[in-house]
Amino acid sequence: MMKTKDFSLRSSYFIGENKHKWRLFLVIASLLIGIVLLPTTTVKADVVVQGTSLTDAEYADLVNRLPEGYEIVSNERYEALSRQRAVTGFFHKSHIQNYGWSDTLNSKQYYAGTVGKSLRLEALQLTFANMKTSISYRSHVQSIGWQSWGSNGATTGTTGQGLRMEAFQITTSGRFGVYYQGHMQGIGWGGWISSSETTLFGSYIGTIGQSRRLEAVRFIIYEQMF
């Protein structure tokens, strides 16, 4: 009888130990599964470059595409250029449907044209003032097609004719270059093009043959390092 009782006690202890270990295993497994299944969120960090908000990926892409020996102008240097005694900086004016000529380079809006108003961009003027850089550009205009190249403040596009700009190209020579991006009817902001890529590959912003208005153009400038 003593042996039977002793065996029974040992069996109960063994079963109790296994139950404890099994419960502990279930708790640990549940915790691990919970960790794996926890929802994850991806945070898109923005970089503000010369007044334009970019994702980290967009900024890295622009940096990787810079011509050799160039870098994107820092925000501090960009602002400092406009504070010099002589009129210095990158300037643009846009002619907009229903508005006419509009200066759009200011602290709140770093692009030419409008966004969210369904208005066509009709003409542009661009210049690098006292920056040892020449800029040339041309527009593809409704019912006209590609116009001739203009430079350093000349008007591209049309005024008083009610015609939309549809596409746009820039080339630069000298110390500075420019990335430019178009906002298109029914599409929104497109990809960034470099003025150096325009020279090499004939790239442009906007569309051709789709009857879409170009609504705005924004810019990021880069500089040759010495």
Side-chain angles (χ1 to χ4, degrees):
M1 292 295 294
M2 290 296 295
K3 287 184 180 180
T4 304
K5 185 177 181 181
D6 184 61
F7 176 78
S8 177
L9 288 172
R10 282 188 309 221
S11 298
S12 298
Y13 177 80
F14 178 77
I15 293 171
E17 271 294 290
N18 279 349
K19 282 183 178 180
H20 176 71
K21 290 179 180 178
W22 181 246
R23 288 195 188 99
L24 183 61
F25 171 78
L26 289 176
V27 170
I28 294 172
S30 298
L31 288 173
L32 291 174
I33 292 171
I35 291 171
V36 171
L37 295 180
L38 279 175
T40 57
T41 57
T42 301
V43 178
K44 290 187 176 180
D46 284 341
V47 181
V48 178
V49 181
Q50 300 170 25
T52 296
S53 183
L54 304 172
T55 65
D56 285 341
E58 287 176 311
Y59 179 72
D61 177 60
L62 295 187
V63 170
N64 290 334
R65 289 162 52 196
L66 283 168
E68 186 175 354
Y70 284 79
E71 68 177 26
I72 293 175
V73 172
S74 69
N75 294 335
E76 293 75 16
R77 173 149 170 74
Y78 186 78
E79 295 296 333
L81 287 170
S82 63
R83 292 195 297 268
Q84 295 181 15
R85 288 186 178 181
V87 177
T88 305
F90 175 65
F91 298 97
H92 53 74
K93 289 182 67 176
S94 54
H95 193 278
I96 304 165
Q97 176 187 357
N98 298 339
Y99 283 82
W101 284 109
S102 175
D103 289 303
T104 56
L105 182 61
N106 55 56
S107 60
K108 294 182 180 179
Q109 184 171 302
Y110 285 79
Y111 55 81
T114 61
V115 173
K117 296 184 177 181
S118 300
L119 298 175
R120 63 180 174 266
L121 188 59
E122 297 179 336
L124 283 171
Q125 295 175 349
L126 308 178
T127 186
F128 279 97
N130 297 311
M131 294 176 73
K132 299 180 180 179
T133 302
S134 178
I135 183 168
S136 298
Y137 41 88
R138 66 172 181 165
S139 301
H140 189 281
V141 180
Q142 173 188 357
S143 303
I144 295 175
W146 283 112
Q147 295 180 315
S148 300
W149 290 91
S151 301
N152 306 321
T155 299
T156 183
T158 61
T159 60
Q161 298 183 44
L163 299 176
R164 63 180 175 267
M165 288 177 60
E166 297 177 336
F168 187 62
Q169 288 182 306
I170 296 176
T171 65
T172 53
S173 61
R175 185 169 180 175
F176 290 84
V178 60
Y179 284 114
Y180 57 111
Q181 180 189 41
H183 191 280
M184 294 156 281
Q185 173 188 356
I187 296 176
W189 290 110
W192 289 93
I193 300 294
S194 167
S195 56
S196 64
E197 294 168 346
T198 302
T199 303
L200 292 173
F201 308 115
S203 300
Y204 59 85
I205 61 170
T207 61
I208 295 176
Q210 298 184 33
S211 299
R212 294 181 187 272
R213 64 179 174 267
L214 190 60
E215 298 177 337
V217 183
R218 60 184 177 184
F219 313 88
I220 290 176
I221 61 173
Y222 52 85
E223 180 179 12
Q224 187 175 18
M225 305 309 297
F226 297 102

